[in-house]
Amino acid sequence: MCVLCGTLLSDHWAEIAGGRRARDLRVRLLNRVLGYWGLSLADWAGAIYTIRDRKGRSVVVQDVGALWTSAEQLAGRPLDPLDPGLLAALEADG
């Protein structure tokens, strides 16, 4: 994820169009990815996101631009979106 998007823009480019249906789809897709590392994402009133881990800790993020950095902080390690295990898990889920 591009760090500059969260710094320079008030609205992340991925959230500009599509409405509620697109946001719900984004949450489902992101949960498939984040679930690999034991994290989950929830949408709150179509305005913000909450990332949670299995220990009950949570982080609130404003948009998908801030999501990846916050997920890494919550997980306590770098999360590689090209991790071979993640890609295999996503492929197996279809």
Side-chain angles (χ1 to χ4, degrees):
M1 301 292 163
C2 177
V3 175
L4 288 176
C5 286
T7 304
L8 300 176
L9 303 173
S10 60
D11 293 325
H12 192 270
W13 61 267
E15 298 191 76
I16 292 173
R20 184 68 188 171
R21 177 178 267 168
R23 190 172 175 98
D24 290 343
L25 177 61
R26 253 191 315 280
V27 170
R28 284 195 307 271
L29 292 172
L30 287 166
N31 270 318
R32 287 182 62 201
V33 173
L34 294 172
Y36 178 76
W37 292 291
L39 302 173
S40 65
L41 182 70
D43 179 25
W44 189 79
I48 59 173
Y49 298 102
T50 304
I51 307 169
R52 289 186 171 84
D53 66 7
R54 291 180 182 149
K55 297 175 185 175
R57 297 178 300 168
S58 64
V59 175
V60 174
V61 294
Q62 296 297 316
D63 56 43
V64 294
L67 185 136
W68 202 257
T69 303
S70 296
E72 287 183 325
Q73 290 172 349
L74 192 57
R77 62 188 173 116
L79 306 179
D80 181 5
L82 298 177
D83 180 298
L86 168 64
L87 297 177
L90 292 174
E91 188 174 272
D93 286 343

